[in-house]
Amino acid sequence: MGHGVITRFNDSLVPLTGAASDTDQILAEIANARIVSIGDGTHGTHEFYRERSELTKQLIARHGVTAVCIEGDWPDAYRVNRFVRGANDDTEAADALAGFSRFPTWMWRNAEVLDFIAWLREYNESARRFGRDVVGFYGLDLYSMYASIDAVLGYLGRVDPAAEVRARDRYGCLEPFAEHPESYGSLVAHGLHPSCRSDVMAQLLDIQRNAARYVRQDGTIAEDEYFYAEQNARIVAGAERYYRAMLDDTVSTWNLRDMHMVDTLHRLMTHLARHGRKHKAVLWAHNSHVGDARATSMVLRHETNVGTLIRDRYGREAASIGMLTYGGTVTAAADWHAPAERKIVHPARTDSYEYFFHERGVPRFWVPLRSHRPAIDGLPEWSRERAIGVVYRPETELQSHYFTANLIRQFDAVYHFDRTRAIEPLERSPQWIAGELPETFPSGE
């Protein structure tokens, strides 16, 4: 839990100058971690994606990371995984990202992710030439129910056509909800459609019972293909439960989702280590997922998250990094399924960590936190912290985008970028193009 030495905040911050050496100190702090979780305070900020990519490149090239895991869907990310390994028909990085077609597309179909996966493909080509481990790209989320159904059917069609027929019949229970899966839970709750739980669980068990026969066919390649298929069957089961729980006040869909992501991560790490060597992973997700929920007001709602579960499972072999901004622009939607816009981020509230960092007068810096626990002199023990996801509602910013946190317990390190700009989507809508920053920046509260 750190050294127990009280350090002054201004003495602990590390300015970012743009030099290659900027990452040296933080890499020294996190190099031995098996899981490095790198968060973002928004899902649409250029600087967050850029710094996260640069840190990840260094962890791959210098510290043996072999898996990049994202808050994204398994089948969409697996298409990227095949691209960076040179194992599919996509010839360009933009083509490999085409699977991310579900809202919010800009979260992964953006210029920074495009550059990163192009770099990762080149890295893997070099790694193969020199006999080093190649690096995979994986999604941990559970929203891909129908893409995962298609993947399971496609796999079984190749290895066991009779099992495909059984799977198609079982998954037929969910077929009416392909356009609006959230309506499934509502109809089940009101007794207007039977629960599909037994069908999806039967299909998962069917695949697991036949695992040895499927894998026996083709060694390592078959192991990877089976793991991919079984995980898709797990996603269908998890998504069915998630959508069914949406109207159940006794079940937290937030907890279901984060527990699914950590379970997927753990299964992936076990799969990668099946031939005896431990692997390291980087996780990209929102701050609200990777920071420890026990150090935030989430705990009052009995919510856990990825950060809490990873710390509990991996202990000091886990490291978490948060990223914050005071103001600027962000790519976000006005509502769920609405077009991406380039929106103005209001200057942070005066009772927030972001404002405290802004007052230091250093445009870009990071702060080690774990090594300074239990406290840094001058850093508020508890303060507000801002969270902007794929939807940004500045008109209700306090209620919609702030929560209370103890930063030094929430993360092991935090980055602050005082003024930031919106991430550039690969497809720029008219709303995004029109979203220019005005000459007069709005004043803070």
Side-chain angles (χ1 to χ4, degrees):
M1 289 295 295
H3 306 306
V5 176
I6 306 300
T7 305
R8 293 196 320 174
F9 183 82
N10 284 5
D11 293 337
S12 66
L13 68 83
V14 182
L16 298 171
T17 65
S21 59
D22 279 351
T23 60
D24 289 348
Q25 185 175 338
I26 192 166
L27 288 172
E29 299 228 353
I30 63 178
N32 294 326
R34 280 194 70 198
I35 310 292
V36 178
S37 302
I38 309 177
D40 51 34
T42 86
H43 278 323
T45 296
H46 164 80
E47 286 79 2
F48 296 161
Y49 279 75
R50 181 64 177 272
E51 194 66 33
R52 188 163 59 183
S53 293
E54 292 305 311
L55 278 174
T56 302
K57 289 176 185 178
Q58 294 298 318
L59 287 166
I60 290 169
R62 297 164 58 184
H63 297 289
V65 161
T66 54
V68 179
C69 304
I70 67 168
E71 182 191 341
D73 290 328
W74 179 261
D76 302 343
Y78 209 79
R79 179 170 175 176
V80 176
N81 180 59
R82 290 176 59 79
F83 170 77
V84 299
R85 292 169 174 266
N88 66 1
D89 295 331
D90 292 321
T91 57
E92 301 292 337
D95 299 330
L97 289 170
F100 292 101
S101 57
R102 182 183 62 81
F103 176 89
T105 56
W106 71 87
M107 187 171 161
W108 302 115
R109 285 185 57 78
N110 63 61
E112 291 303 325
V113 174
L114 184 73
D115 289 347
F116 176 79
I117 66 168
W119 175 89
L120 188 54
R121 179 168 171 132
E122 291 183 4
Y123 175 87
N124 281 341
E125 289 173 353
S126 174
R128 277 192 295 271
R129 287 197 299 271
F130 290 98
R132 300 193 303 266
D133 288 327
V134 296
V135 179
F137 190 91
Y138 307 94
L140 304 182
D141 225 328
L142 52 55
Y143 289 123
S144 62
M145 183 157 64
Y146 291 94
S148 290
I149 287 173
D150 289 343
V152 171
L153 296 176
Y155 173 77
L156 292 175
R158 294 191 301 274
V159 302
D160 190 346
E164 181 200 5
V165 174
R166 296 194 300 272
R168 196 173 294 277
D169 181 61
R170 289 167 179 148
Y171 288 150
C173 180
L174 292 165
E175 187 175 354
F177 310 100
E179 295 299 320
H180 301 285
E182 60 276 2
S183 65
Y184 162 72
S186 177
L187 291 178
V188 170
H190 291 92
L192 300 175
H193 192 274
S195 168
C196 301
R197 180 179 184 276
S198 60
D199 290 307
V200 299
M201 291 304 299
Q203 184 51 51
L204 174 59
L205 292 172
D206 197 354
I207 284 182
Q208 291 172 331
R209 278 194 297 267
N210 287 285
R213 180 162 62 91
Y214 296 159
V215 169
R216 192 181 306 128
Q217 297 176 31
D218 194 18
T220 301
I221 293 175
E223 288 179 359
D224 288 340
E225 290 185 348
Y226 170 78
F227 178 73
Y228 170 64
E230 184 193 332
Q231 185 56 36
N232 275 305
R234 288 181 178 278
I235 289 165
V236 177
E240 184 276 333
R241 185 184 180 196
Y242 176 88
Y243 288 118
R244 186 163 37 83
M246 290 181 76
L247 293 183
D248 186 345
D249 293 337
T250 67
V251 179
S252 167
T253 53
W254 174 277
N255 288 355
L256 286 178
R257 183 180 171 216
D258 276 46
M259 288 188 291
H260 173 89
M261 287 197 279
V262 173
D263 183 65
T264 302
L265 173 65
H266 180 63
R267 289 179 183 281
L268 174 65
M269 297 295 281
T270 301
H271 173 71
L272 294 175
R274 66 195 183 280
H275 297 302
R277 190 175 71 79
K278 279 188 174 182
H279 285 250
K280 295 182 178 181
V282 170
L283 168 60
W284 295 356
H286 196 275
N287 285 347
S288 57
H289 291 294
V290 305
D292 193 330
R294 292 169 295 198
T296 77
S297 52
M298 292 170 64
V299 74
L300 301 176
R301 301 189 297 273
H302 306 288
E303 290 178 342
T304 189
N305 69 356
V306 168
T308 298
L309 297 168
I310 286 179
R311 274 186 178 174
D312 284 347
R313 186 183 288 269
Y314 292 95
R316 292 188 65 84
E317 287 191 306
S320 62
I321 300 169
M323 294 195 181
L324 305 176
T325 180
Y326 172 74
T329 58
V330 65
T331 297
D335 209 345
W336 201 256
H337 295 302
E341 300 178 32
R342 184 165 29 169
K343 299 167 76 73
I344 295 168
V345 177
H346 283 193
R349 292 176 55 89
T350 57
D351 57 354
S352 68
Y353 280 117
E354 290 87 348
Y355 183 83
F356 174 81
F357 290 164
H358 168 71
E359 288 290 286
R360 302 311 98 195
V362 181
R364 302 155 58 93
F365 62 86
W366 75 276
V367 184
L369 297 175
R370 178 158 66 179
S371 58
H372 292 314
R373 289 182 190 136
I376 300 178
D377 185 27
L379 180 69
E381 182 178 7
W382 290 90
S383 191
R384 296 190 194 276
E385 184 180 317
R386 181 158 53 190
I388 299 172
V390 298
V391 173
Y392 182 40
R393 298 188 176 100
E395 66 278 5
T396 59
E397 187 163 50
L398 176 59
Q399 299 90 336
S400 301
H401 299 291
Y402 279 95
F403 61 98
T404 305
N406 178 316
L407 197 70
I408 200 168
R409 289 172 45 213
Q410 184 187 10
F411 297 108
D412 296 311
V414 67
Y415 277 74
H416 176 74
F417 303 88
D418 206 55
R419 297 296 176 102
T420 51
R421 62 183 174 90
I423 195 77
E424 183 178 340
L426 296 188
E427 294 84 22
R428 295 184 295 173
S429 68
Q431 293 91 333
W432 191 90
I433 293 170
E436 298 291 347
L437 185 65
E439 290 184 9
T440 304
F441 199 80
S443 58
E445 296 185 52

